[in-house]
Amino acid sequence: MAKTERQRLYDVLETLPVYVVLLTPDYHVPFANRFFRERFGESHGKRCFEYLFHRDEPCEICETYSVLKTGQPHRWEWTGPDGRNYDIYDFPFIDADGATLILEMGIDITERKQAEKALRELNETLEQRIAERTAELAASETRLSRAQEIAHLGSWELDLVKNELMWSDEVYRIFGLQPQEFSATYEAFLERVYPEDHAAVDAAYSDSVREGKDSYEIEHRVVRKDTGEVRWVLEKSQHVRDATGSIICSRGMVQDITARKQAEKELLKLTEELKRSNSDLEQFAYIASHDLQSPLRNVEGFVQLLARRYKGKFDGKADEFIQYISTGVKDMQMLILDILEYSKVGSDGKTFTTIDGSSCVTKALSNLKDTITEKHAEITCHEKLPQVHGDFAQLTSLFQNLLGNAIKFCTEKPIIHIAAKKEGPEYIFSVRDNGIGINPEVSDKIFAVFHRLHTKTEYPGTGIGLAICKKIVERHGGRIWVKSEPGKGSTFFFSLPAEE
């Protein structure tokens, strides 16, 4: 890699909001980006277990170095010496000098973990309070009042005949008032409503009356009298009508939902941060994979040159080793291309248009022409496939991956059938084959990145194809699944929204 290109890549790695390190087989850290250094400091030539954990020997169970044994990428979670949680991705990596390294990326998920825990605790608390309230409702009026207080749930009743408004004690408490501090009136209620929400609250009630509705529901803010604090409440009302249809009474409840609103806000914030983090990670995967192609082409060129000039001039093992290197380079090139395709699904997709499903299949069959001819595959389509709203190139890739797999994983003449049917608001597409089949116990795992059910010797490939299919389908608002049994073929299904 040229010096400027290497520096550009390092500059990108330095700005990423995730940590990126390279590890040697002997546990040294030849590279760590700024994010890692700021969290864990400089290694100063020490091995990772020495300066991170102050150990004299490697950790008994090291998830990271398992990739050197398996040769496969690995994902796991880790609590660092700084006490924070990280989502770790490890990849076997061969640098331009041919040295085997480990590329490790770590995403700080501490806030997400804390938010998930807080949300679970909040849900458990709410469920507990609801259970307590339900039990106390069956008891005395005193216990009912206590249950309302625990649940921050107050009740009210507006008698339009007598022009009287009654609040429960909990409504007073929600508004920051002492129970029965003054007579409850609609005007007193509006005084406690946040000024910018006055119009919406008033319209919710009057609109339900004018439009003949029996109820209304609204979330709005109130200002507590005692502290001036702004709180969120959920208000629900049910109207009671007389024989003529006129409203004579309205009954409702007011619940303090401030904690829920705060949790929703935090969850939304964390979701947006996670989306940005995933976007940065996709961009990194694209840049890293793109920049890896140049040194690989150089390696491939010199290996081919070595094979041409020196084939047969060394012992038989040398020729065998050269072949191993050449095969490894080709595998790595295929892996990089698949990673590039996977990373581009979400970031480089085209604008959705109305496309013909049959056109996607026709294009996919054209791309697979040589493979179909070589395997004497018989591929049929029940009828003309429906039109859908989507990305033509990506849906073509989806069909090409599914058809390519159906041909590859077949020990006899491949017989494949494509079909589609409308179910409710979506189309269900299917690709059925007569291949070797899949154990139902692992049917959900096959769509994970790099997951393989067979060795490369048995069936070549990178293990990314079905993960790409899943990402394409999800980008189009659908889902993908498989039904199969070993030795009885497989049927892959995916859904796409039907055009309105």
Side-chain angles (χ1 to χ4, degrees):
M1 183 185 298
K3 183 176 180 181
T4 56
E5 292 177 344
R6 185 184 297 273
Q7 186 59 49
R8 190 182 305 117
L9 176 58
Y10 282 174
D11 290 342
V12 170
L13 297 179
E14 284 290 279
T15 61
L16 288 178
V18 300
Y19 83 65
V20 181
V21 297
L22 285 175
L23 296 161
T24 66
D26 60 356
Y27 300 94
H28 284 90
V29 184
F31 172 79
N33 70 346
R34 182 187 303 162
F35 187 97
F36 186 91
R37 299 194 303 272
E38 289 176 350
R39 294 292 177 95
F40 308 111
E42 298 282 353
S43 66
H44 299 296
K46 292 183 178 180
R47 292 171 292 184
C48 59
F49 56 84
E50 292 173 333
Y51 87 95
L52 283 177
F53 304 108
H54 308 293
R55 294 173 60 95
D56 296 325
E57 56 185 12
C59 304
E60 290 81 1
I61 300 176
C62 182
E63 296 257 7
T64 296
Y65 278 82
S66 67
V67 301
L68 293 182
K69 298 178 181 179
T70 64
Q72 298 296 320
H74 181 50
R75 178 191 172 201
W76 55 291
E77 289 187 9
W78 174 57
T79 301
D82 58 350
R84 299 184 70 80
N85 302 110
Y86 295 90
D87 203 359
I88 307 298
Y89 297 81
D90 290 314
F91 303 88
F93 177 77
I94 300 178
D95 68 8
D97 299 323
T100 300
L101 303 172
I102 298 174
L103 172 65
E104 181 171 288
M105 293 177 286
I107 304 171
D108 190 336
I109 58 172
T110 306
E111 284 74 19
R112 191 193 78 192
K113 287 286 188 179
Q114 292 172 346
E116 290 173 351
K117 180 182 178 182
L119 193 57
R120 285 195 303 271
E121 291 175 350
L122 177 61
N123 286 335
E124 291 171 1
T125 301
L126 290 176
E127 290 174 2
Q128 180 182 354
R129 287 179 176 173
I130 291 172
E132 291 174 354
R133 187 179 79 248
T134 301
E136 291 180 1
L137 283 174
S140 65
E141 191 68 26
T142 302
R143 294 187 64 190
L144 172 61
S145 177
R146 177 58 181 162
Q148 288 183 336
E149 183 179 355
I150 292 175
H152 302 297
L153 178 66
S155 58
W156 57 267
E157 181 174 321
L158 175 61
D159 189 328
L160 295 176
V161 177
K162 298 180 181 179
N163 196 27
E164 292 179 351
L165 177 62
M166 293 172 286
W167 291 349
S168 70
D169 289 349
E170 183 59 22
V171 175
Y172 283 96
R173 281 188 286 267
I174 290 173
F175 290 163
L177 303 167
Q178 294 297 321
Q180 310 304 320
E181 182 174 331
F182 56 75
S183 299
T185 63
Y186 186 65
E187 290 73 21
F189 163 71
L190 283 180
E191 286 180 5
R192 303 271 57 85
V193 174
Y194 192 72
E196 294 181 8
D197 294 348
H198 274 189
V201 172
D202 201 35
Y205 182 83
S206 50
D207 288 352
S208 68
V209 174
R210 184 178 64 255
E211 296 172 7
K213 297 180 180 178
D214 291 331
S215 63
Y216 73 88
E217 179 178 326
I218 185 174
E219 293 181 0
H220 63 86
R221 292 163 290 182
V222 299
V223 182
R224 289 178 60 93
K225 182 183 178 183
D226 54 356
T227 62
E229 180 187 5
V230 177
R231 308 284 293 180
W232 276 94
V233 299
L234 169 64
E235 183 183 346
K236 293 183 179 181
S237 175
Q238 191 79 26
H239 301 313
V240 179
R241 301 177 184 272
D242 62 14
T244 66
S246 299
I247 298 175
I248 58 175
C249 179
S250 295
R251 300 189 183 97
M253 53 77 70
V254 178
Q255 184 178 23
D256 188 330
I257 59 170
T258 306
R260 194 196 82 194
K261 281 288 188 178
Q262 290 173 341
E264 289 175 351
K265 183 179 179 181
E266 286 298 317
L267 187 60
L268 180 61
K269 179 182 176 182
L270 289 170
T271 300
E272 291 301 319
E273 290 178 354
L274 184 60
K275 286 181 180 178
R276 287 194 295 271
S277 178
N278 286 339
S279 177
D280 291 340
L281 189 59
E282 284 184 353
Q283 185 66 15
F284 166 74
Y286 177 82
I287 293 172
S289 300
H290 186 272
D291 288 347
L292 283 172
Q293 292 186 79
S294 179
L296 271 179
R297 282 193 291 267
N298 289 336
V299 172
E300 183 182 30
F302 280 108
V303 169
Q304 291 175 350
L305 184 62
L306 188 64
R308 286 197 301 269
R309 290 190 177 182
Y310 299 101
K311 184 176 182 180
K313 295 184 178 181
F314 301 108
D315 58 22
K317 282 293 183 181
D319 292 341
E320 184 180 350
F321 293 158
I322 292 173
Q323 182 60 41
Y324 285 155
I325 296 172
S326 179
T327 301
V329 169
K330 288 183 173 59
D331 288 345
M332 181 60 76
Q333 287 175 327
M334 186 183 302
L335 180 62
I336 290 173
L337 290 174
D338 282 350
I339 291 175
L340 280 171
E341 184 176 354
Y342 182 80
S343 66
K344 289 191 296 184
V345 170
S347 60
D348 196 30
K350 301 298 187 295
T351 302
F352 285 8
T353 58
T354 299
I355 59 176
D356 181 23
S358 296
S359 298
C360 294
V361 172
T362 300
K363 179 62 176 176
L365 292 175
S366 176
N367 295 340
L368 293 168
K369 181 179 178 181
D370 292 342
T371 303
I372 293 172
T373 302
E374 179 186 349
K375 298 292 185 178
H376 305 288
E378 179 182 321
I379 301 176
T380 59
C381 195
H382 180 64
E383 57 186 13
K384 183 176 175 60
L385 299 180
Q387 290 187 331
V388 293
H389 196 61
D391 182 326
F392 178 83
Q394 288 188 353
L395 292 181
T396 297
S397 176
L398 170 62
F399 278 110
Q400 186 171 328
N401 270 303
L402 293 178
L403 291 170
N405 276 356
I407 296 172
K408 178 168 66 174
F409 293 102
C410 187
T411 57
E412 53 190 44
K413 176 182 178 179
I415 299 177
I416 305 165
H417 183 69
I418 306 167
K421 61 180 179 179
K422 193 172 187 297
E423 291 187 3
E426 60 186 8
Y427 288 111
I428 306 296
F429 292 81
S430 62
V431 177
R432 187 180 73 240
D433 64 54
N434 63 332
I436 62 175
I438 301 168
N439 189 329
E441 294 180 359
V442 298
S443 60
D444 291 335
K445 300 178 181 179
I446 61 175
F447 297 101
V449 180
F450 301 118
H451 187 86
R452 298 178 58 90
L453 299 180
H454 308 278
T455 65
K456 291 183 180 180
T457 304
E458 294 175 306
Y459 296 97
T462 62
I464 303 181
L466 288 178
I468 293 173
C469 291
K470 183 174 185 288
K471 198 169 184 181
I472 290 173
V473 171
E474 289 178 346
R475 180 181 178 238
H476 285 73
R479 53 202 168 86
I480 186 169
W481 68 100
V482 63
K483 292 184 178 179
S484 179
E485 290 183 32
K488 296 185 178 181
S490 304
T491 302
F492 282 83
F493 299 89
F494 65 90
S495 65
L496 295 177
E499 282 202 301
E500 296 181 357

